[in-house]
């Protein structure tokens, strides 16, 4: 039985039609990775992939109609990876079985991804956003989301619209999301707190600061101390900060969580690699962070070197690891936990 099919056209400047062999073995495939080719426009509506569990499409040309036909023929598809889809500016997803969707540079230019019906979708992973607009109409089990970035022009989830990561006001927060990852150019506490109001049951928050993120967040609402943030009061257990430098901006951002996250267990600092993390540096940081006055007496602060880009570490052949962000934001071989 054929379990896997991989087709990547080696001549990157040329594209060829999808090999007929793919359709011939469709009834036995469990994993398919296809790149640098054109899907035929006359794909039969009866096309069937009864055992396909993961589909990776990379630099392929496919029409909206053909994409829908392919998905409808994948009755047990769990994982979908999409990157650089060509010759189309809108894709629609309806799937009763999809649990994981990963997108990276989805379209060549501007476009829209519409997730209409995904009753089993647990994680939506976004990397290297281009100009796409993302709309999620129904994903009632969504638990893991990110990276949210101001580079994404618009993402609409459960009637909350994030424009450049700034959320619209909504009376219906997203209570299913437990893990959230954010990608900003610099520490922006007001922006993060504004986002956290939309996720009252959040348990893990990952924030990566990256100089390569050029987009700035505009018209951010100011934090109002008299308006409590629910996840900080009763749910947030883990905070990870990546590319932490220990300067005034970084300390101010982190100190807010040290003093206000009431049930946090771990605050992990992924420190920039050019900083020498010795005992004196950590002691100075604990003083600046006012760690002795922490809101959660169970909190432990951990310092380690930042790892490489999370997406560069993500194994696109296995998208089902428990937490796709945790292992790549902090170098776990070089972590010092501080007992307070």
């Amino acid at each position: 039985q054929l379990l896997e099919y991989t087709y990547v056209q080696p001549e990157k400047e040329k594209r060829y039609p999808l090999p007929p062999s793919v359709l011939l073995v469709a009834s036995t495939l469990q994993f398919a990775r296809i790149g640098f080719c054109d899907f035929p426009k006359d794909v039969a509506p009866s096309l069937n992939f009864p055992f396909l569990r993961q589909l990776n499409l990379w630099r392929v040309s496919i029409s909206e109609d053909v994409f829908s036909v392919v998905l409808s023929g994948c009755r047990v598809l769990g994982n979908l990876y999409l990157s650089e889809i060509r010759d189309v500016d809108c894709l629609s997803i309806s799937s009763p079985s999809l649990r994981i969707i990963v997108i990276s540079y989805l379209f060549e230019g501007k476009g829209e991804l519409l997730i209409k019906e995904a009753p089993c979708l647990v994680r939506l992973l976004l990397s290297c956003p281009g100009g796409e607009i993302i709309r999620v109409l129904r994903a009632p089990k969504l638990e893991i989301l990110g990276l949210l970035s101001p580079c994404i022009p618009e993402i609409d989830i459960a009637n909350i619209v994030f424009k450049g990561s700034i959320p619209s006001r909504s009376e219906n927060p997203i209570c299913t999301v437990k893990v959230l990852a954010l990608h900003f150019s610099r520490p922006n506490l007001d922006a993060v707190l504004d986002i956290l109001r939309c996720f009252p049951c959040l348990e893990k928050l990952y924030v990566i600061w990256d100089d390569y993120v050029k987009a700035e967040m505009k018209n951010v609402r100011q934090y109002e101390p008299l308006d409590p943030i629910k996840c900080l009061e009763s749910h947030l257990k883990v905070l990870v900060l990546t590319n932490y430098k220990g300067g005034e901006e970084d300390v101010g951002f982190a100190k807010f969580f040290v003093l206000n996250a009431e049930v946090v267990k771990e605050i992990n600092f992924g420190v920039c690699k050019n900083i020498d993390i010795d005992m004196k540096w950590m002691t100075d940081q604990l003083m600046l962070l006012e760690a002795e006055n922490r809101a959660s007496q169970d909190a432990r602060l951990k310092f380690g070197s930042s790892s490489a880009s999370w997406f560069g570490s993500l194994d696109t052949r296995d998208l089902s690891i428990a937490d796709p962000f945790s292992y790549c934001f902090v170098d776990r071989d070089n972590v010092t936990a501080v007992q307070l």
Side-chain angles (χ1 to χ4, degrees):
Q1 183 183 31
L2 183 58
L3 301 180
E4 175 178 339
Y5 185 91
T6 300
Y7 177 80
V8 177
Q9 172 60 38
E11 297 182 51
K12 295 185 178 182
E13 297 303 318
K14 297 181 179 180
R15 291 182 298 173
Y16 295 91
L18 183 71
S21 56
V22 178
L23 304 181
L24 292 175
V25 299
S27 62
T28 59
L29 284 175
Q30 291 190 20
F31 179 101
R33 182 172 54 190
I34 301 170
F36 293 106
C37 65
D38 297 338
F39 273 73
K41 291 182 171 54
D42 56 349
V43 172
S46 59
L47 184 65
N48 191 19
F49 293 89
F51 301 110
L52 191 65
R53 299 191 179 277
Q54 179 163 328
L55 174 62
N56 291 20
L57 298 179
W58 175 49
R59 292 190 182 182
V60 301
S61 173
I62 187 170
S63 71
E64 184 178 357
D65 291 341
V66 170
F67 180 76
S68 296
V69 168
V70 172
L71 279 190
S72 64
C74 302
R75 291 176 290 180
V76 297
L77 187 66
N79 305 339
L80 177 64
Y81 171 83
L82 300 173
S83 179
E84 300 182 60
I85 308 302
R86 300 177 171 182
D87 301 325
V88 68
D89 57 11
C90 182
L91 291 178
S92 179
I93 294 176
S94 292
S95 169
S97 59
L98 265 179
R99 292 177 52 81
I100 300 171
I101 297 176
V102 182
I103 68 172
S104 174
Y105 284 123
L106 183 55
F107 301 108
E108 287 185 292
K110 294 181 179 181
E112 179 175 332
L113 175 67
L114 179 61
I115 302 175
K116 285 185 176 180
E117 183 74 18
C120 295
L121 186 66
V122 176
R123 60 184 66 180
L124 177 59
L125 307 182
L126 316 170
S127 176
C128 303
E132 60 266 10
I133 293 173
I134 302 166
R135 303 191 194 280
V136 183
L137 299 188
R138 186 171 183 272
K141 295 183 178 180
L142 185 64
E143 292 186 2
I144 300 177
L145 175 64
L147 301 169
L148 287 190
S149 164
C151 295
I152 301 176
E154 183 177 323
I155 178 167
D156 182 349
I157 303 175
N159 295 320
I160 298 180
V161 179
F162 298 83
K163 290 191 175 182
S165 290
I166 298 176
S168 62
R169 292 190 180 275
S170 174
E171 301 301 324
N172 299 306
I174 305 170
C175 297
T176 59
V177 172
K178 303 295 192 297
V179 180
L180 176 67
L182 306 175
H183 194 197
F184 296 147
S185 60
R186 61 180 182 81
N188 191 327
L189 182 61
D190 285 329
V192 171
L193 297 181
D194 203 14
I195 293 171
L196 292 188
R197 295 188 189 284
C198 303
F199 303 98
C201 299
L202 192 68
E203 296 178 1
K204 294 183 180 181
L205 173 63
Y206 298 93
V207 182
I208 181 169
W209 298 319
D210 188 346
D211 292 337
Y212 289 100
V213 178
K214 301 301 182 182
E216 292 290 339
M217 302 182 69
K218 300 178 180 179
N219 303 318
V220 175
R221 288 187 286 266
Q222 297 296 304
Y223 169 61
E224 175 51 65
L226 298 179
D227 185 11
I229 298 173
K230 291 183 179 179
C231 70
L232 296 183
E233 294 182 331
S234 56
H235 287 86
L236 188 68
K237 303 297 194 302
V238 178
L239 170 66
V240 179
L241 306 176
T242 303
N243 289 332
Y244 182 85
K245 299 177 182 177
E248 183 177 352
E249 268 195 322
D250 297 31
V251 169
F253 183 97
K255 185 167 69 172
F256 177 89
F257 290 91
V258 171
L259 300 180
N260 292 279
E262 298 181 16
V263 297
V264 72
K265 302 294 184 183
E266 291 184 14
I267 300 179
N268 299 330
F269 297 84
V271 182
C272 289
K273 293 185 179 294
N274 60 350
I275 293 178
D276 184 15
I277 310 174
D278 57 18
M279 190 55 65
K280 181 181 183 308
W281 186 88
M282 288 190 293
T283 301
D284 290 343
Q285 286 294 308
L286 292 178
M287 181 183 66
L288 293 170
L289 292 166
E290 300 183 22
E292 290 187 357
N293 299 322
R294 64 196 182 278
S296 171
Q297 292 301 305
D298 295 331
R300 298 184 72 194
L301 278 62
K302 299 181 179 182
F303 295 90
S305 298
S306 291
S307 297
S309 162
W310 81 270
F311 192 75
S313 304
L314 185 66
D315 183 1
T316 56
R317 292 174 60 90
D318 181 12
L319 303 174
S320 59
I321 61 171
D323 184 343
F325 303 116
S326 62
Y327 72 97
C328 45
F329 271 78
V330 174
D331 181 356
R332 295 185 177 274
D333 295 328
N334 185 24
V335 173
T336 300
V338 181
Q339 186 66 48
L340 301 174

